[in-house]
Structure formats: C-alpha cells, structure tokens
Amino acid sequence: MNHTTSAVRIWDLPTRLFHLTLGLSVVGLIITGEVGGDAMRIHFWLGYVVLTLVFFRIVWGVFGGHWSRFVNFFPSPQLVEIYVAALRRKEQPKSISHNPLGALSVLAMLTILLLQVASGLISDDEISISGPLTSLVSGAWVSFATNYHTEVGKVLLIFLLVLHVASILFYKFFKNEDLITPMIDGDKQLPSTTHPSRDSITSRAFALGVLVACAYAVYRLVQLGG
C-alpha cells in the first residue's frame, strides 16, 4: 500500500476567492443592515454581490474543480451518521474536502443566503427603503418577505456564520485539523493518489466568465422591477 503523501490541490482558486468574498460580503450585509440609514445603499449592493456569488457557487458546484463539485462532497445520510458516531467515540475522521457536517453547513448557508437576498428584493420598511422588485408582488408577499428578512432570515444567517467560525476553531484547537490554511493556499497533505482539483489558467478564465454571467443575470433580475 502506498503511504506517500504530497501537497494535493483540493480547493481551486475560484472557490477560495468565492469563500473569502462571500464571508466579507455577509459581514458587511449584517453591519450595514444594523446601521441602516445611508448605509442601506451599500447594503443593497452587497446583497447583489452575495446573490451573484451564490449563483456562481451553484454553477461552480457542477462545473468547478473536482472537490468543489457538490457530487463529490455532499454526503448521504449514512455517511453523516457514521461521521457523527465516530466523533462521539472521540475519533478523528479525516475528510479530503468538506467533512459530512461541513458539507451540510454549505448547503444550509447557500439556502439561507438565497432566501435572505430574495426576501430583501421584495422587502419594504414603509419608511424610505424598498427592494427593487416590490412592485412585482402583492402587499401580502411584501409584508411576509419584510418580516422574514428582518426577523427570521437575519437571525438564521448570523447563527450560521457564528456556527461556521466556531466549527473552524473547534477543529483547529480540539481536533488538530487545520481547515483555514487549505482554504488559503488550496492544498492539503494527502496520499499522492488523491484526485486533485483542476485549477489551471483555463479553468480560472472559465470561472471568471461564469462570474460575469451570474453578475449580468442579477443585473437583469434587479431591472425587472423597473
């Protein structure tokens, strides 16, 4: 059996930049939402950025590097059960990309972000701020979206963000597993037979094209409200 290890590219550059930009944008959204007033203009623009990034990640989850594809890291219920059982036995199961719980958190984060931005597009504070698509839906939907956006979605988003940071610190200091460095440089020390993620100039150019297309889609979506 070959036990040789080497630096294997797990996270391609587009995925790493997505992770960094999304994290900063979400923090910015939370801060500007709390500040209100003139900061809401920035809040809306950050919302468009986040929606662009979520669209990008969905596409990149199909066409991106090997370990960025959903099919290669989303676990089955059985794998989640096995992983949780191993943690309870105080074992230290290792994963190549996201561990099963981390994979579920990715799905949860993308879903909550999509709902949060979508609800923001049709929210109205009845004072000075309204989403660009409020004119396209009924007053009942605007009221529901506004309540969800300010009272439910925001809380869920902050909870997931805190949970995400806490999980990284937990694995760093209690499981002796560094999840930060691989997301910065893209590589992990793994058996040399591990399938690497594609991260070439061509794939990066393709990712840029996908990002531009997603940004244009968001622009066209926002313009629907006229």
Side-chain angles (χ1 to χ4, degrees):
M1 182 178 295
N2 185 4
H3 294 285
T4 303
T5 63
S6 60
V8 179
R9 179 54 48 92
I10 299 301
W11 301 120
D12 52 61
L13 182 62
T15 299
R16 285 178 276 148
L17 291 177
F18 158 83
H19 190 268
L20 175 62
T21 308
L22 182 67
L24 293 175
S25 298
V26 169
V27 171
L29 273 176
I30 295 172
I31 293 174
T32 54
E34 290 298 316
V35 172
D38 292 338
M40 290 306 294
R41 183 180 297 274
I42 300 175
H43 185 79
F44 272 98
W45 279 105
L46 286 173
Y48 303 150
V49 170
V50 168
L51 185 57
T52 298
L53 290 172
V54 171
F55 284 169
F56 169 82
R57 189 63 183 92
I58 292 172
V59 176
W60 203 242
V62 178
F63 299 105
H66 183 81
W67 296 108
S68 294
R69 298 179 187 178
F70 298 136
V71 69
N72 291 325
F73 70 81
F74 270 1
S76 64
Q78 292 78 13
L79 284 178
V80 173
E81 184 178 354
I82 291 171
Y83 185 81
V84 171
L87 291 180
R88 288 175 176 172
R89 294 193 300 269
K90 297 184 178 181
E91 297 175 359
Q92 295 186 355
K94 300 293 184 180
S95 300
I96 295 177
S97 57
H98 292 298
N99 62 55
L101 294 182
L104 292 179
S105 73
V106 170
L107 177 60
M109 182 66 79
L110 291 177
T111 301
I112 294 302
L113 283 172
L114 189 58
L115 289 173
Q116 186 67 357
V117 176
S119 62
L121 292 175
I122 57 173
S123 292
D124 189 344
D125 68 356
E126 298 183 348
I127 300 176
S128 60
I129 301 298
S130 62
L133 303 184
T134 53
S135 62
L136 301 181
V137 298
S138 67
W141 271 106
V142 170
S143 178
F144 175 79
T146 303
N147 182 71
Y148 173 85
H149 189 79
T150 58
E151 304 297 332
V152 180
K154 180 178 70 174
V155 174
L156 290 175
L157 186 56
I158 293 174
F159 172 77
L160 285 177
L161 183 61
V162 171
L163 181 63
H164 183 67
V165 173
S167 299
I168 291 173
L169 295 177
F170 173 78
Y171 277 94
K172 173 69 174 179
F173 294 107
F174 293 96
K175 292 296 182 180
N176 197 32
E177 183 176 354
D178 182 9
L179 302 178
I180 300 175
T181 303
M183 191 55 73
I184 295 175
D185 63 24
D187 297 335
K188 275 188 174 183
Q189 287 293 324
L190 294 166
S192 55
T193 54
T194 303
H195 194 302
S197 285
R198 181 182 68 252
D199 194 19
S200 63
I201 295 297
T202 301
S203 66
R204 293 175 181 181
F206 174 65
L208 180 60
V210 171
L211 181 65
V212 170
C214 290
Y216 181 71
V218 170
Y219 168 77
R220 295 295 297 174
L221 175 64
V222 171
Q223 294 302 309
L224 290 177

